[in-house]
Amino acid sequence: GLDGYGYSLLAIIQTLKGDDVAADDAMKEAILSEPDSLGIQTSQAFIALKRGRMDVMGTLINRLAKDQGQRTEVNYYLATLNNSAQRYAEANRAFEQSVLAEPTNYDMYVQRGNEALAIVAGGRVEDAERKYQVEVARTFYDTALIAKPESAEALSAIAIIDIIVKKNN
């Protein structure tokens, strides 16, 4: 049988497949097995983020930050949470802590690139700001590729940037 961490990974797989009921069932087993596991708690945060449940993710991550605030995973979620709540100073601080703890945390660089592209996609910025944010995004994706050259997320995002730049020139 699976241990708690195995059930949490199963919950993530079910979430990615779109089966929230099966994901919730697997996560219940994970929590029953190992309620204090960092891996299970960050799995819960990942699922909450995927479902757009920032309130749930915030509760989980703020609790984790009290005991595990130095960990790159915790700071990744804190940066994402604070950015979504437009608390940019806190988001930047968590980003810095995340990459200081683990400089090769390519997920953090991809997330920051995504945040810059979201500003562009919002369409409410002047041309100079749009160009700046595209370059910021490209820089973060390039950094992600240095950390993990096979990062499909970073490679896909760079292709999207190339399409955006070509379309606007």
Side-chain angles (χ1 to χ4, degrees), residues 13 19 29 48 50 57 116 153 161:
I13 290 168
D19 190 344
E29 291 296 326
K50 281 291 184 196
M57 188 183 85
E153 300 92 345
I161 287 175

Side-chain angles (χ1 to χ4, degrees), residues 5 12 22 61 111 113 120 154 160:
Y5 193 71
I12 288 172
I61 289 306
Q111 180 62 31
V120 174
I160 290 168

